[in-house]
Amino acid sequence: MPGLIVGSFVPDIEVPVLWLFGGGLPDHLILHSIIGVLTIGVLVSVLVTRFLYAPAISALFGIERAKLESACATSYVLIGSCLLGLFGHLLLDLPMHPYNPLLWPWVNPNAIVGILVILFAQGGNIESGFAAANQLVSVVMLVPLLAIVIKHRHVLWSSLWLDETRK
Ligand SMILES: [Zn+2]
């Protein structure tokens, strides 16, 4: 669970970096590409999970740090979980963004337009298509989140951050 959470979050850490230093580049690039996920993305995710997850989640949610650290030990499962989170992020971004750097640097990100953006682009307006697609995906993602919160409300924090549901 920790690797999955961190991996699913890591691609978007490039957004503020590219805003600040991108010099006209789109705000999704390296960490939203397959090559970026398999290199920098998985490395950053494993390092963050291994060294920052336990102290941060323990301090913020009062979960026993030793339990968190044992869940974050370096292993093939951790690496696989990080990759699952990273690729899950890319898969969710794919239908709702007007450009997708999935195959960057070989394919121009503007050549891969999200299917939902195309479907909702009234009169060819990509911006309104993106806004509608973004709202739809957000609402669709809210449903499983609410189901998880309701199902595990008595052990919510340990359930969310550790997947420790058998208490
Ligand atoms: Zn993203």
Side-chain angles (χ1 to χ4, degrees), residues 8-15 27-28 31-32 89-90 92-94 96-97:
S8 66
F9 170 78
V10 157
D12 280 350
I13 64 173
E14 76 178 347
V15 173
D27 60 5
H28 288 182
L31 290 175
H32 286 78
H89 183 116
L90 265 53
L92 272 175
D93 271 358
L94 185 59
M96 69 169 181
H97 281 280

Side-chain angles (χ1 to χ4, degrees), residues 92-93 95-97 116 120 130-146:
L92 272 175
D93 271 358
M96 69 169 181
H97 281 280
L116 292 175
F120 293 124
F130 171 49
N134 199 342
Q135 287 168 1
L136 176 69
V137 171
S138 299
V139 169
V140 167
M141 292 310 295
L142 203 59
V143 174
L145 175 66
L146 286 175

